[in-house]
Amino acid sequence: VFNTWSWSWSESIAAADFAAPDPWGRLLPAVTIVGVGAVGCAMLFAVWASGLGVSARLVDGDVVAPTNLNRYILFALSDVGASKVDRSAALLGREAVYGGARAIRLQPIHGWWSDHVRNYKGDLSEELVVSGVDTNTARRQLQDSLPAIIIGASTLGLRLEVARYDMGDPRSRCLKCFNPAEAEESDLLLQRRLLALDASSLADYGR
């Protein structure tokens, strides 16, 4: 994901008002990261460790759950219940020691992609978006908003997939081509699943 992101630099998608001061003379393109889960956490950690300057919007309306901790490299037990975007920004969006400039600028955005699209004042057709969401429905919503470039990343078991979708390239396929919509569960199946949950899991499910 990190390499694909750095290759996606283009003058047309560089937002001058959202550029990170870079004391090393190296700057990744400004980006919107949707989903701060296993993929989003690993990518943010890689950028932080690289020493490259970057500005990123982090879009996620979820909180850290105990079941996340074995896969989310940024979070610890003390972060359970905290906002994923707030904790990520607090951990990594710090002042750099080199030159006193902020090398990583992270803007937490609470809510889901549809909320961000509704409130966003810029032009999504000029945006670079990294998809770290975990359902095909969410991936298709990203595609429907037609950002300039989407870097799609996902994990399945021990497998990692990364692909670049460029809306300005007529040879490029879109994110929806590879992510068919999930079948909706019947009411009866959903009822059975809920009845099988214990009280604690049921509370988490409804949150």
Side-chain angles (χ1 to χ4, degrees), residues 21-26 53 96 98-103:
D22 180 21
W24 300 278
R26 295 165 292 175
Y98 302 97
R102 182 180 291 277

Side-chain angles (χ1 to χ4, degrees), residues 106-121:
L106 302 177
Q107 177 187 350
I109 298 176
H110 305 95
W112 310 111
W113 177 250
S114 56
D115 302 320
H116 175 58
V117 170
R118 190 163 48 247
N119 298 322
Y120 186 53
K121 305 302 181 185

Side-chain angles (χ1 to χ4, degrees), residues 61-96:
D62 209 354
V63 298
V64 180
T67 53
N68 299 151
L69 299 180
N70 64 322
R71 296 176 295 117
Y72 293 17
I73 193 172
L74 295 183
F75 305 133
L77 190 59
S78 58
D79 298 317
V80 170
S83 160
K84 292 178 181 178
V85 293
D86 284 343
R87 288 302 298 145
S88 300
L91 285 167
L92 302 182
R94 296 173 176 170
E95 296 291 334

